[in-house]
């Protein structure tokens, strides 16, 4: 996580307001959405730190394609440590041990409601921030519960904050769309690449001062202000910390386009003095 988030003052103000409203009893669900590498997870972690500083309990989960096969896995990540639900997990998971009538058992209303009530009981002691990173990968029963909870948060001191990467298939498109349709528009936060000045601030903070302005500027332009691409190019670039960057020369041009990175789109042109962007594992 970066020590400082650049160019996200509007988004962080929105999050601060949502957390404050929840502490006053008006809960909410919010979503950070953006293309790959725009800083969704970083802003989520920042929100967690902020909530902890304000005395809130933070319960977090990260969804992954590999764990989509585990029903209620994400709910367990979130609530597994809550004393209010600890005794129920054996019973809850037992319902999923065997496929039922040719398909998986879906959580029934009493179970969904009981899990919500557990959150409500815990939130009466301390306001809660629930975070879910990469909601598009959440297993279906957990996604059903997240939607269920989000329709019952209004009078609870609870915030549910999730991230979603654009353009990725969801574990259950119908449930995800329903979850997103329930969002208040001002709580659906779209993260774009950084503005040129914020990207320049990030690049300068990573490179240190005293480096060629032109080279830093070219690097920023070459990455389009995408924080992930910018960070990776600086991390894998030559002698970043030991010497000044090579100033952009007229004969360098914009450099060749890099290979596809984790964006799945062609990499950005390599900045002068930098290798083309390397694919992320
Ligand atoms: N606003 C920012 N200021 C400084 N650094 C940032 C900012 N946003 C992201 N970064 C850096 O960019 C990189 C990618 O950020 P992050 O992993 O949060 O992106 P993401 O949107 O969650 O990516 P993904 O789509 O893969 O989930 C990280 O190294 C992070 O530290
Ligand atoms: Mg992320």
């Amino acid at each position: 996580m970066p020590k400082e988030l650049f160019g996200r003052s509007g988004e962080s103000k929105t999050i601060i307001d949502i957390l404050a409203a929840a502490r006053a009893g008006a809960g909410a669900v919010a979503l950070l959405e953006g293309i790959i590498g725009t800083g969704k997870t970083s802003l989520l972690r920042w929100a967690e730190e902020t909530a902890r500083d304000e005395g809130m309990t933070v319960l977090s989960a990260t969804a992954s394609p590999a764990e989509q096969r585990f029903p209620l896995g994400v709910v367990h990540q979130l609530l597994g440590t809550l004393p209010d639900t600890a005794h129920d997990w054996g019973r809850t998971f037992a319902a999923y041990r065997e496929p039922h009538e040719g398909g998986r058992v879906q959580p029934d209303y009493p179970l969904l409601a009981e899990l919500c009530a557990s959150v409500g009981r815990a939130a009466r002691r301390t306001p809660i921030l629930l975070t879910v990173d990469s909601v598009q990968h959440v297993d279906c029963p957990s996604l059903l519960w997240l939607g269920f909870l989000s329709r019952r948060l209004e009078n609870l001191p609870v915030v549910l904050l999730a991230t979603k990467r654009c353009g990725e298939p969801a574990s259950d498109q119908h449930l995800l769309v329903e979850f997103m349709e329930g969002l208040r528009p001002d709580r659906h936060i779209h993260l774009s690449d950084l503005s040129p000045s914020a990207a320049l601030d990030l690049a300068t903070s990573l490179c240190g001062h005293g480096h060629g302005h032109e080279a830093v500027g070219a690097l920023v332009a070459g990455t389009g202000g995408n924080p992930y691409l910018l960070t990776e190019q600086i991390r894998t670039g030559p002698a970043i910390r030991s010497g000044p960057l090579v100033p952009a020369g007229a004969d360098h041009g914009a450099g060749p386009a890099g290979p596809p990175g984790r964006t799945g789109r062609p990499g950005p042109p390599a900045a002068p003095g930098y290798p083309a962007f390397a694919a992320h594992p």
Side-chain angles (χ1 to χ4, degrees), residues 121-203:
R121 281 194 295 277
R124 273 202 291 276
R125 293 193 297 274
T126 326
I128 293 178
L129 168 64
L130 297 161
T131 65
V132 179
D133 202 10
S134 300
V135 71
Q136 73 276 9
H137 295 316
V138 167
D139 63 275
C140 298
S142 293
L143 194 50
L144 180 65
W145 183 73
L146 291 176
F148 188 94
L149 176 72
S150 68
R151 291 183 284 277
R152 289 160 178 79
L153 281 183
E154 222 168 298
N155 300 313
L156 288 178
V158 177
V159 172
L160 170 58
L161 181 60
T163 70
K164 177 182 173 290
R165 187 195 279 175
C166 296
E168 282 205 329
S171 53
D172 186 315
Q173 190 63 22
H174 175 75
L175 285 176
L176 187 59
V177 166
E178 193 178 83
F179 176 80
M180 291 170 66
E181 281 176 354
L183 291 164
R184 240 175 62 174
D186 57 329
R187 293 175 185 154
H188 189 168
I189 301 167
H190 297 270
L191 288 188
S192 310
D193 289 335
L194 298 177
S195 68
S197 70
L200 199 59
D201 288 344
L202 170 58

Side-chain angles (χ1 to χ4, degrees), residues 11-121:
E11 293 84 353
S12 43
K13 165 90 173 57
T14 302
I15 292 171
I16 286 171
D17 290 348
I18 290 171
L19 294 175
R23 289 195 299 281
V29 56
L31 182 69
L32 306 173
E33 184 172 12
I35 61 161
I36 195 157
T38 42
K40 302 173 290 296
T41 303
S42 303
L43 195 54
L44 196 69
R45 300 290 167 246
W46 175 88
E48 291 172 349
E49 265 184 39
T50 304
R52 275 191 207 98
D53 289 348
E54 294 293 342
M56 297 175 75
T57 296
V58 175
L59 302 171
S60 54
T62 300
S64 78
E67 293 198 22
Q68 262 176 38
R69 74 193 80 175
F70 302 127
L72 286 178
V74 163
V75 175
H76 185 245
Q77 274 193 61
L78 285 172
L79 308 185
T81 57
L82 266 190
D84 307 73
T85 61
H87 62 283
D88 279 329
W89 290 110
R91 183 173 64 82
T92 304
F93 289 138
Y96 293 97
R97 241 172 243 147
E98 301 296 335
H100 182 72
E101 289 170 9
R104 286 273 179 199
V105 179
Q106 286 301 312
D108 58 9
Y109 190 95
L111 174 61
L112 296 176
E114 175 50 31
L115 290 168
C116 282
S118 305
V119 173
R121 281 194 295 277

Side-chain angles (χ1 to χ4, degrees), residues 217-273:
L219 186 60
V220 165
T223 59
N226 181 280
Y228 169 73
L229 299 182
L230 194 52
T231 304
E232 281 301 293
Q233 285 234 7
I234 290 172
R235 191 176 65 79
T236 57
I240 306 301
R241 295 179 193 287
S242 56
L245 300 177
V246 183
D251 54 338
H252 283 93
R262 68 174 182 168
T263 56
R265 62 188 182 192

